[in-house]
Amino acid sequence: MSDSYEQNESVDVDGDELPAILTLPLDAWHREHGARMVEFAGYMMPVQYEGIMAEHLWTRESAGLFDVSHMGQLVVSVEGDDQSAVEAALEALLPADLSILKIGRIRYSLLLDENGGILDDLMVTRWRNGFFVVVNGATKWDDIAHLRENLPDDITLTHRDEHGLLALQGPKAAAALASLGLKPALADIVPVEELSFMQAGPYEWNGIELGVSRSGYSGEDGYEISVPYEGIVEFATALAAHADVKPIGLGARDSLRLEAGLPLYGHDLSPETDPVSANLTFALSKRRREQGGFMGSDHVLKVLAEGTATLRIGLKLEGRQAAREGAEVFAGDVKVGTVCSGGFAPSLGHPIAMAYVDAAHTAEGTALSIDVRGKKLSATVVPMPFQPTRYYRKGAAK
């Protein structure tokens, strides 16, 4: 990212002030576009516009514009050009191998407690001067407090709370974003349509500095775009004016991420779950598995070596009735697990669920049942993602 991009005005969270009013910068914009607003994570958020089913299918076929400005955008840095101290400080908390993360590359990682429980899941990007971390909206204040408590005093933690975050997701997202004519902010940054999955860079549009990453949480190709508050209405309006783009609410965001088999913090992840039982061992980098040294590593590496008692799995349900969070899972008459997320999958035409199930009943093809208000629904263990992902990787066969 460019220096000017990183030096926008922001709040130093080494102080104690928290914003008194949690209002999305696009609040009025959403209402003007017909959104039904609900409270979520301390904000009034758009849950749907024309209906979850229609918005879900539109995103799978075209491009959906999501407002995820409730999420936390943090910068972890230190004075000077040598950012090795920041790398070491973050590696003491995260199980990611940041030493191999190149500038502009992104990793999915986990914030863990001392017992290996998951405090949050997050995206971390190496910038030219520090690391950019995006955390969940519902947990961001706890995350900030945790980071402040555990980062060394010479490390600066900055909350970019004057930036909104938009997600443009779907097979037509790249063409739609490129049509706006975003300009790379540095000579070595590729045009936005040439970014690969989990790659990011600074861009400029109509005098507005943007941070663009080719990532998201729908299973589709797409982008997350950090936009200063003063330009976000103009930018969202320009995107939504494209024939292939429609604003999409939280309802369809949830059904899309469920089809992609992606966990949702507070439902599928919590301090009671560890990375192994959550089926997120890919987030434990090879070097960190061998060397440990991250918060909670003693417990996590023990579970990794000895196996987990329960595992997050995918279930395909028969019929049309969905099983929701909290429904009990059975093998015969024996309870073996609990649903953590469930719903009807619009792209697949049948219900699906994710559940924590005893490890002995997690093999693909295992027949189970789910109790929904006294009725046992037949279910089968299936691999995830439920819906094939369509992330853009350069050179990959299409």
Side-chain angles (χ1 to χ4, degrees):
M1 303 279 181
S2 69
D3 289 342
S4 58
Y5 172 69
E6 296 170 7
Q7 291 173 355
N8 283 323
E9 290 186 3
S10 52
V11 168
D12 183 347
V13 293
D14 286 338
D16 294 322
E17 293 185 2
L18 299 179
I21 300 174
L22 301 178
T23 303
L24 291 174
L26 286 174
D27 184 279
W29 189 90
H30 293 306
R31 297 174 192 275
E32 290 169 1
H33 284 74
R36 183 162 73 84
M37 307 292 281
V38 299
E39 185 176 355
F40 178 77
Y43 295 83
M44 294 302 291
M45 303 283 294
V47 66
Q48 61 177 291
Y49 296 82
E50 57 180 302
I52 293 173
M53 178 73 78
E55 293 169 32
H56 179 114
L57 295 175
W58 177 269
T59 304
R60 288 277 185 245
E61 297 169 357
S62 295
L65 178 61
F66 303 80
D67 184 358
V68 288
S69 296
H70 63 303
M71 301 182 75
Q73 300 181 58
L74 312 175
V75 179
V76 186
S77 62
V78 69
E79 291 289 336
D81 295 331
D82 183 3
Q83 295 294 309
S84 58
V86 181
E87 180 182 301
L90 281 176
E91 283 202 345
L93 301 177
L94 308 178
D97 185 353
L98 299 179
S99 68
I100 60 174
L101 191 62
K102 298 179 180 178
I103 293 172
R105 296 290 179 174
I106 310 167
R107 284 287 184 278
Y108 174 87
S109 193
L110 300 163
L111 199 61
L112 304 174
D113 64 20
E114 293 178 345
N115 299 315
I118 300 174
L119 298 175
D120 201 2
D121 60 340
L122 53 85
M123 294 288 189
V124 56
T125 306
R126 184 187 283 273
W127 280 4
R128 284 173 166 79
N129 186 18
F131 289 86
F132 178 56
V133 181
V134 177
V135 301
N136 281 297
T139 56
K140 66 182 175 184
W141 300 117
D142 288 340
D143 291 351
I144 289 170
H146 179 82
L147 291 167
R148 285 176 60 184
E149 180 179 355
N150 290 286
L151 288 173
D153 292 341
D154 61 334
I155 303 298
T156 299
L157 176 64
T158 304
H159 182 198
R160 291 163 55 90
D161 69 343
E162 294 181 348
H163 285 69
L165 190 66
L166 301 176
L168 185 66
Q169 301 283 292
K172 298 181 181 178
L177 186 60
S179 73
L180 266 58
L182 275 64
K183 298 177 181 177
L186 297 169
D188 60 349
I189 300 297
V190 300
V192 69
E193 63 271 27
E194 295 181 18
L195 287 172
S196 286
F197 179 58
M198 299 297 270
Q199 185 178 6
Y203 292 83
E204 183 271 334
W205 178 78
N206 280 4
I208 302 169
E209 294 178 333
L210 307 173
V212 180
S213 65
R214 199 151 192 172
S215 62
Y217 220 61
S218 66
E220 292 292 334
D221 180 25
Y223 302 84
E224 290 191 346
I225 308 154
S226 179
V227 192
Y229 276 13
E230 60 267 26
I232 196 167
V233 170
E234 180 184 0
F235 186 67
T237 299
L239 277 175
H242 193 285
D244 293 328
V245 177
K246 287 184 178 180
I248 306 296
L250 285 178
R253 178 175 167 81
D254 189 55
S255 57
L256 289 160
R257 72 89 195 167
L258 179 59
E259 285 186 352
L262 299 170
L264 181 64
Y265 194 83
H267 301 268
D268 310 299
L269 306 176
S270 75
E272 284 69 48
T273 58
D274 62 77
V276 183
S277 64
N279 211 351
L280 297 174
T281 52
F282 73 90
L284 307 173
S285 299
K286 182 176 183 293
R287 178 174 66 83
R288 310 308 307 281
R289 294 187 190 198
E290 296 171 350
Q291 299 178 359
F294 54 89
M295 185 171 286
S297 60
D298 288 349
H299 176 76
V300 171
L301 298 184
K302 183 174 185 292
V303 175
L304 189 64
E306 298 178 357
T308 179
T310 61
L311 187 67
R312 181 176 63 91
I313 59 165
L315 292 166
K316 175 184 177 182
L317 281 69
E318 296 182 6
R320 304 280 292 180
Q321 188 172 359
R324 304 297 181 182
E325 180 180 357
E328 296 180 335
V329 181
F330 289 84
D333 294 329
V334 179
K335 179 188 172 183
V336 296
T338 304
V339 170
C340 47
S341 283
F344 189 82
S347 305
L348 305 172
H350 59 76
I352 56 175
M354 295 194 291
Y356 280 89
V357 171
D358 293 348
H361 299 89
T362 58
E364 183 179 344
T366 301
L368 300 171
S369 63
I370 304 175
D371 188 319
V372 178
R373 295 189 292 275
K375 181 182 178 181
K376 292 287 186 65
L377 306 180
S378 296
T380 303
V381 179
V382 296
M384 295 187 287
F386 301 97
Q387 170 78 6
T389 56
R390 295 194 283 193
Y391 305 132
Y392 175 74
R393 292 182 172 88
K394 290 178 182 176
K398 297 183 178 180

